[in-house]
Amino acid sequence: MKRRFSSLFCLLILGNCYSQEFKFQAKVDPVYETRYYKIALSPELLGQIQSDVSDLRLIDSVGKEIPYFVTEEKEGQISSSFNSYEILEKTMIPDSSSAVVFHNSGKKKMDNITFVVQNTDVRKRARLSGSNDRENWFIIKEDYLLHSMNNTTETSEFKLLNFPLSDYEFLKLEMNDKDQLPINILKIGYKDSQVNKGVVTSFQCPITSKNDTLGKTTFQVKFEQPMYIERLGFNIIEPEYFSRNAAVSVEKERATSKKKIEHYFENIGNDNLNSNGKNTIDVRPTKTESLRIEIQNGDDVALSIDGITASYLNKYIVAELVPSQVYYLKFGDETLSNPSYDIVKFKEKITLSEATVSHQTVEKLLSQEEEIKSDSLFDNPAIVWSVLGVVGIGLAFISFRMIKEM
């Protein structure tokens, strides 16, 4: 019996040593169909987790760990899309020429086209003409040399043709096929490029103090908990024209040579606030509860600022969620390393739901010691006296038996 008890005790001790002890959790909002979703991470959550997200786990209602991968918004990323013109006519005259007529709906101004051609290893001469009635044609550019029309990874290739700015409603691309077969043009259109700004999360900075002295303005910002920040924006009311250098710093502490703790401010960003600019300061990605912002005024009056906004490019984890489950984001165990999930190798193949899922307020979890202390029976005086009474009766009974046996 003693041996069994000892084995059980050892297993409990080992279980406690190797169990994950998270400090925080946040409940994930419910979903209504089984899909892969992006779960947006709040500034409060990002302010608490490790910078490499190594301590973050997605756990379902039965304690199962759900695989995920991390992604984030990109600023200034260029994306392009191919837009096709309607092909109205294709003609081929053997051993002579071939032509493609296409429609520029709305007579948009253009100075280039892109055509998609089936892979071919040939060189051809071509010309481009335009018309507004498909009967009277006018030359736009003569003597193109078409070549290098093959792709090593796809069965077709994109080719760009530049020409003088035109707005003809109809255009015709003609190719010289003398002593050759025609090429197979699949589409004609144009590539439209867009710069994606990236989705951001913004929140207000609570200003706890403002001090105008010695030619500068100093703001102190204090959050209720650590927050994640990448950029600060300033809503400047007046004056109409201004140009001021500004610096942002966070308070840190370090041990001195005398083993004392001293506080100091570490710079995380500088920029110029200007009436011709956006009035933002990019800062080093930072988790902090407070900020100090210094604006150099020189001999000018202080800026009238009606609020400071913090923001960051959205961060997500991507995971498959099902409606029947409740999910929690758990984090704060500094002993954990980055998880290794198979899903990371296939993220390019995953189709995401258009909806982004949020999570609820970050909650602090009790440690095992705190749970034991909070659940202790001996915190209740009535229970303590009851236990003492039972122990007393037991001792009296044992004593009586011992005396009787004597």
Side-chain angles (χ1 to χ4, degrees):
M1 184 69 181
K2 288 182 179 179
R3 185 174 296 174
R4 288 181 182 177
F5 177 80
S6 299
S7 300
L8 180 60
F9 181 76
C10 290
L11 287 172
L12 289 172
I13 292 297
L14 287 171
N16 285 335
C17 289
Y18 289 101
S19 64
Q20 297 170 343
E21 188 170 341
F22 298 105
K23 296 178 182 177
F24 305 94
Q25 74 173 17
K27 186 177 181 181
V28 178
D29 288 344
V31 298
Y32 301 100
E33 61 176 329
T34 301
R35 295 286 301 273
Y36 280 93
Y37 293 89
K38 290 193 299 185
I39 304 173
L41 306 180
S42 70
E44 295 86 356
L45 186 149
L46 291 168
Q48 296 286 4
I49 64 175
Q50 297 297 309
S51 299
D52 60 357
V53 201
S54 58
D55 58 328
L56 182 63
R57 298 294 184 272
L58 179 62
I59 309 294
D60 68 12
S61 54
V62 295
K64 180 183 175 183
E65 188 171 318
I66 307 301
Y68 69 84
F69 64 86
V70 181
T71 186
E72 63 181 348
E73 296 285 340
K74 301 293 184 182
E75 188 173 44
Q77 193 172 32
I78 299 176
S79 63
S80 62
S81 58
F82 183 79
N83 301 278
S84 296
Y85 293 116
E86 181 186 5
I87 294 179
L88 302 175
E89 182 183 355
K90 282 186 177 182
T91 59
M92 288 180 282
I93 303 175
D95 199 29
S96 178
S97 66
S98 57
V100 179
V101 177
F102 58 97
H103 188 203
N104 174 23
S105 177
K107 299 185 64 176
K108 297 176 183 176
K109 292 182 179 180
M110 59 166 74
D111 59 5
N112 68 82
I113 59 170
T114 297
F115 66 88
V116 183
V117 60
Q118 194 84 18
N119 282 349
T120 183
D121 186 9
V122 70
R123 296 166 70 90
K124 281 185 179 290
R125 295 289 177 180
R127 70 178 182 180
L128 183 70
S129 55
S131 171
N132 287 318
D133 56 12
R134 292 184 66 182
E135 291 187 7
N136 300 297
W137 292 92
F138 305 94
I139 192 68
I140 297 176
K141 186 168 181 178
E142 185 82 46
D143 205 26
Y144 284 110
L145 177 60
L146 306 183
H147 62 95
S148 302
M149 294 179 287
N150 59 80
N151 189 310
T152 58
T153 58
E154 302 291 339
T155 60
S156 60
E157 176 68 323
F158 290 85
K159 295 299 294 183
L160 175 69
L161 300 180
N162 294 305
F163 48 84
L165 187 65
S166 303
D167 64 352
Y168 289 110
E169 184 174 354
F170 305 100
L171 293 100
K172 178 164 58 175
L173 180 63
E174 298 174 277
M175 288 142 289
N176 184 352
D177 294 336
K178 183 66 175 174
D179 298 325
Q180 291 179 331
L181 291 173
I183 61 175
N184 186 12
I185 293 181
L186 306 174
K187 298 178 183 178
I188 295 182
Y190 62 94
K191 285 190 174 182
D192 188 16
S193 297
Q194 294 181 334
V195 178
N196 299 323
K197 293 183 178 180
V199 181
V200 302
T201 293
S202 302
F203 51 95
Q204 290 297 314
C205 294
I207 300 173
T208 56
S209 69
K210 175 188 174 185
N211 184 27
D212 295 315
T213 183
L214 300 176
K216 70 178 179 181
T217 301
T218 303
F219 291 95
Q220 296 289 345
V221 172
K222 179 69 176 177
F223 301 106
E224 293 183 358
Q225 57 188 303
M227 304 287 276
Y228 180 77
I229 299 170
E230 291 178 347
R231 175 175 291 172
L232 294 177
F234 298 81
N235 184 18
I236 300 174
I237 305 300
E238 57 183 5
E240 183 178 2
Y241 302 106
F242 57 88
S243 177
R244 312 286 172 87
N245 291 326
V248 184
S249 56
V250 293
E251 189 173 7
K252 300 275 190 177
E253 60 180 35
R254 60 191 170 197
T256 65
S257 57
K258 297 181 180 180
K259 297 183 178 180
K260 292 183 178 180
I261 300 298
E262 70 173 8
H263 294 266
Y264 69 100
F265 285 92
E266 180 181 284
N267 181 276
I268 60 170
N270 302 279
D271 213 329
N272 179 260
L273 303 178
N274 195 295
S275 50
N276 292 326
K278 296 180 180 179
N279 295 321
T280 59
I281 300 178
D282 289 332
V283 300
R284 185 174 69 244
T286 301
K287 299 182 292 183
T288 184
E289 288 188 68
S290 61
L291 295 167
R292 185 179 72 176
I293 303 163
E294 293 180 316
I295 301 174
Q296 301 297 328
N297 299 318
D299 295 326
D300 288 298
V301 297
L303 299 176
S304 177
I305 297 178
D306 185 30
I308 302 173
T309 303
S311 63
Y312 62 92
L313 287 165
N314 278 8
K315 323 291 179 193
Y316 311 95
I317 64 168
V318 175
E320 186 179 32
L321 306 180
V322 299
S324 59
Q325 285 287 356
V326 177
Y327 299 95
Y328 292 89
L329 295 168
K330 297 196 175 189
F331 50 98
D333 186 345
E334 298 176 359
T335 64
L336 293 179
S337 57
N338 272 309
S340 178
Y341 299 129
D342 290 342
I343 190 176
V344 176
K345 301 174 183 177
F346 303 96
K347 57 186 179 181
E348 301 298 333
K349 298 184 178 181
I350 289 175
T351 302
L352 291 174
S353 168
E354 293 183 0
T356 298
V357 179
S358 300
H359 63 77
Q360 299 176 17
T361 305
V362 172
E363 301 174 345
K364 191 176 188 303
L365 298 174
L366 294 177
S367 66
Q368 293 180 2
E369 293 180 359
E370 290 172 328
E371 286 182 354
I372 293 172
K373 185 176 180 180
S374 64
D375 294 338
S376 177
L377 295 175
F378 298 102
D379 288 343
N380 189 323
I383 294 176
V384 172
W385 284 110
S386 298
V387 172
L388 289 175
V390 172
V391 172
I393 293 171
L395 290 173
F397 177 75
I398 293 171
S399 301
F400 174 77
R401 290 287 302 270
M402 292 177 65
I403 293 170
K404 187 177 179 180
E405 289 176 0
M406 292 175 61

